[in-house]
Amino acid sequence: MLTRVLILEDDLLLGETLVDLLEDSNIEATHSTNGQMALDTIYKQKFDLYLLDINVPLIDGVTLLKELRDANDDTPTIFLTSHKEKEMMQNSFESGADDFVTKPFDSDELLFRIKALLKRSKKTTINCINLLCHDEVHQSILYDSVALELTKKEYQLLLLFMKHSNKTVTKELITNELWSSADLPSDGAVRVYVNRIKQLAPNLNIENIRGVGYKLVS
């Protein structure tokens, strides 16, 4: 999957320079010039890393990151700022930052830091069973490196199968985990979801244990 980075930088020229720097390394970059624009963009799209300036209009970088962390967004974050004060650095890390780079910066060093942080984060957020992988950050499931276009229920069901790989997942467990007691599905409805997953990943082996449930065989 293409790596995506959100840049929050109110200096247009520097923002464009950062976009070019990242895209030359095959990293997709989205540039926001103020904190509110960045927040709106983050709600619409998932990113692998945030690269945030601090002194920007509407919502400053530190406040923005605090809001994101309070919303359980643990996306790796680097502050890129002209601030050199230890107090500001402390505030940045306390808000949830993973790294802090001061301006002016060396482009190669910044890229090294970005790639190192991305590598560390992906080790802990992508779990695979053979060709089937769960990306926790983006809440998506990939098969043979291709993201499956799953609905919310299909995603939840396949994730349940992955958690119980090579074990029978009973119909009762499926309904208890995915539906409320007031909205229980029929056996046929569950079968539709399973068949849809099989269509998206034809080589995926999900066995129908007649009268009991299903088993993902890895």
Side-chain angles (χ1 to χ4, degrees):
M1 290 179 66
L2 189 64
T3 299
R4 296 183 175 90
V5 173
L6 178 124
I7 300 168
L8 173 57
E9 174 56 65
D10 61 340
D11 183 319
L12 292 177
L13 180 59
L14 178 55
E16 291 172 359
T17 300
L18 289 168
V19 169
D20 291 340
L21 177 67
L22 293 177
E23 292 189 343
D24 284 345
S25 296
N26 295 317
I27 297 173
E28 182 180 294
T30 299
H31 179 208
S32 295
T33 55
N34 65 68
Q36 187 60 57
M37 182 190 299
L39 188 61
D40 293 342
T41 303
I42 289 168
Y43 283 147
K44 295 175 184 176
Q45 183 179 351
K46 295 288 186 181
F47 292 91
D48 299 285
L49 183 140
Y50 302 140
L51 188 60
L52 307 179
D53 190 7
I54 292 178
N55 287 343
V56 294
L58 301 184
I59 304 175
D60 68 84
V62 173
T63 300
L64 173 65
L65 185 57
K66 284 180 179 177
E67 290 187 19
L68 293 172
R69 295 298 190 244
D70 288 343
N72 296 319
D73 184 338
D74 59 358
T75 301
T77 301
I78 298 175
F79 275 117
L80 184 60
T81 175
S82 57
H83 283 285
K84 295 179 173 66
E85 306 89 357
K86 287 185 178 180
E87 183 179 355
M88 180 57 73
M89 185 181 294
Q90 180 181 351
N91 290 339
S92 300
F93 282 113
E94 288 179 350
S95 72
D98 298 278
D99 203 352
F100 188 99
V101 178
T102 56
K103 303 174 185 177
F105 57 89
D106 180 83
S107 297
D108 289 335
E109 179 185 346
L110 179 61
L111 273 177
F112 293 153
R113 289 175 180 267
I114 288 172
K115 291 179 179 179
L117 185 53
L118 286 169
K119 186 176 180 179
R120 289 200 304 272
S121 66
K122 287 183 177 180
K123 281 183 179 178
T124 58
T125 59
I126 297 183
N127 303 302
C128 297
I129 301 173
N130 296 330
L131 295 178
L132 194 63
C133 296
H134 176 225
D135 184 339
E136 295 179 8
V137 171
H138 297 92
Q139 294 190 332
S140 64
I141 297 177
L142 300 82
Y143 185 76
D144 199 10
S145 301
V146 177
L148 301 177
E149 296 294 329
L150 301 166
T151 65
K152 183 178 180 180
K153 276 290 188 289
E154 290 164 357
Y155 166 78
Q156 292 173 335
L157 181 58
L158 185 49
L159 183 57
L160 185 64
F161 289 157
M162 291 181 69
K163 288 180 178 178
H164 299 275
S165 177
N166 292 315
K167 297 179 181 178
T168 299
V169 179
T170 65
K171 296 177 182 178
E172 290 77 15
L173 179 59
I174 292 172
T175 54
N176 289 338
E177 289 284 334
L178 274 61
W179 280 271
S180 67
S181 57
D183 188 31
L184 295 178
S186 65
D187 289 348
V190 174
R191 189 160 53 249
V192 168
Y193 287 114
V194 174
N195 288 337
R196 163 72 176 160
I197 292 171
K198 288 181 176 180
Q199 289 173 1
L200 293 172
N203 294 323
L204 199 60
N205 188 3
I206 301 177
E207 295 183 353
N208 181 3
I209 311 302
R210 186 178 296 275
V212 180
Y214 298 89
K215 180 194 293 186
L216 172 63
V217 180
S218 62

